[in-house]
Amino acid sequence: MKQLSCLTIACASIALALTALGGPEPMSSGKEMKQVAPAPPECDFTWTGFYFGGNAGYGWGNAETDFNPLPDPATFGDLAPTSLSPDPSGFIGGGQLGYNYQFNKWLVLGIETDFQGSDIEGDTRRFGFRDFDGDIALDDPNVFIEAHERVQWLGTTRGRIGISPWCRWLFYGTGGVAYGNVDYSANTNFDNGVTYPVKFTETNVGWTAGGGIEYAVGHHWTVRVEYLHYDLGSENRTQVELFNGVPVVPPVGPTFFVHNNFDTNGNIVRGAINFKF
């Protein structure tokens, strides 16, 4: 038994010695524990494709109307060159359709056309307008000049260029052609039977520019907020003097006219929803 105990002790001593001779355990370099970060998920949406939808918003504008007496202010006498600003505003809404193509995961080019009905309207009246000398011509509530303008409908065809820095988001600028149907009217009333009324409707062509932000709710639906400025140019008309509604052409002396010039430009802020194929 004593010999067995000695043998056991000897074996244990040899094992400890071999362990010591093997040196310390190698230290970990840390590379084995380093975790590779997962790759960001690919965007599951593309802006490429045709789409259509509806829009609604609010418009306000400038409809400055100029009143110019003819043959010249000095001869006309009772009316100095004057301007009024009806400042039309109101609801606008309609539909749009277009196509986008997405490049390099972030650049988006497209084209869009839209058509809206409009209630953008304004009118104003000024009493006691000034004469050629700068004085009040007639301080009478029945003597006035007035102007009115209404955009009945408005359409645009525009290019779009945008960036998509994050999946499903699009920030874009847009610009192109605008066209619209506008009612115009103005009158210079002297309350003695003498008036210079003008009233007409024109379809005008101009330009538009703006920008917006669009977000893809799902694979087929997007929503946006957009701003547009439009300019449909100007229209002008010259009206001969009417006396009780009948044109006055005196046999002797000058014939009097009022020349009206109407500007048409404005701004639109609107929301829209689209379905993308």
Side-chain angles (χ1 to χ4, degrees):
M1 180 65 69
K2 184 176 180 181
Q3 293 175 345
L4 180 60
S5 298
C6 291
L7 181 60
T8 301
I9 293 171
C11 289
S13 299
I14 293 171
L16 290 172
L18 290 173
T19 301
L21 290 174
E25 287 187 38
M27 295 181 64
S28 172
S29 65
K31 293 182 180 180
E32 299 82 6
M33 302 299 293
K34 186 177 181 180
Q35 297 181 353
V36 179
E42 290 289 332
C43 182
D44 61 349
F45 179 82
T46 176
W47 290 97
T48 299
F50 289 95
Y51 62 89
F52 73 95
N55 68 77
Y58 181 79
W60 70 99
N62 172 38
E64 185 169 310
T65 305
D66 300 322
F67 296 76
N68 294 301
L70 299 176
D72 58 77
T75 303
F76 197 99
D78 290 334
L79 176 66
T82 309
S83 294
L84 294 182
S85 295
D87 297 330
S89 62
F91 171 82
I92 186 169
Q96 68 277 343
L97 59 90
Y99 177 80
N100 291 320
Y101 189 84
Q102 185 168 358
F103 299 85
N104 302 326
K105 298 183 179 181
W106 63 274
L107 176 64
V108 178
L109 299 179
I111 187 169
E112 179 175 296
T113 186
D114 58 50
F115 187 86
Q116 292 77 216
S118 167
D119 192 29
I120 300 176
E121 183 175 16
D123 57 76
T124 186
R125 176 180 288 189
R126 180 181 299 173
F127 299 97
F129 48 80
R130 297 192 176 276
D131 62 16
F132 174 69
D133 295 324
D135 300 321
I136 299 297
L138 292 170
D139 191 11
D140 185 328
N142 295 316
V143 175
F144 59 84
I145 55 175
E146 62 182 1
H148 170 267
E149 188 170 306
R150 179 189 178 191
V151 179
Q152 295 195 63
W153 52 260
L154 180 73
T156 75
T157 298
R158 297 169 283 107
R160 302 206 311 164
I161 180 170
I163 59 172
S164 182
W166 307 296
C167 183
R168 296 177 178 265
W169 285 94
L170 179 65
F171 300 82
Y172 65 90
T174 182
V177 177
Y179 51 94
N181 188 256
V182 188
D183 293 333
Y184 302 95
S185 65
N187 192 15
T188 305
N189 188 347
F190 284 94
D191 192 37
N192 57 0
V194 176
T195 59
Y196 297 83
V198 172
K199 185 175 183 179
F200 63 99
T201 299
E202 285 289 339
T203 299
N204 298 334
V205 178
W207 60 271
T208 183
I213 302 173
E214 194 163 1
Y215 178 72
V217 179
H219 289 291
H220 295 288
W221 293 98
T222 71
V223 293
R224 75 164 75 147
V225 176
E226 183 176 66
Y227 164 80
L228 291 177
H229 176 79
Y230 65 88
D231 190 330
L232 299 180
S234 62
E235 287 289 333
N236 58 83
R237 293 290 189 278
T238 300
Q239 176 60 51
V240 68
E241 177 184 323
L242 303 184
F243 181 73
N244 293 330
V246 179
V248 176
V249 183
V252 179
T255 302
F256 296 101
F257 304 85
V258 172
H259 177 79
N260 295 113
N261 186 79
F262 304 85
D263 287 332
T264 307
N265 59 76
N267 309 278
I268 298 170
V269 173
R270 62 187 182 183
I273 184 170
N274 291 313
F275 179 82
K276 187 182 80 71
F277 295 95

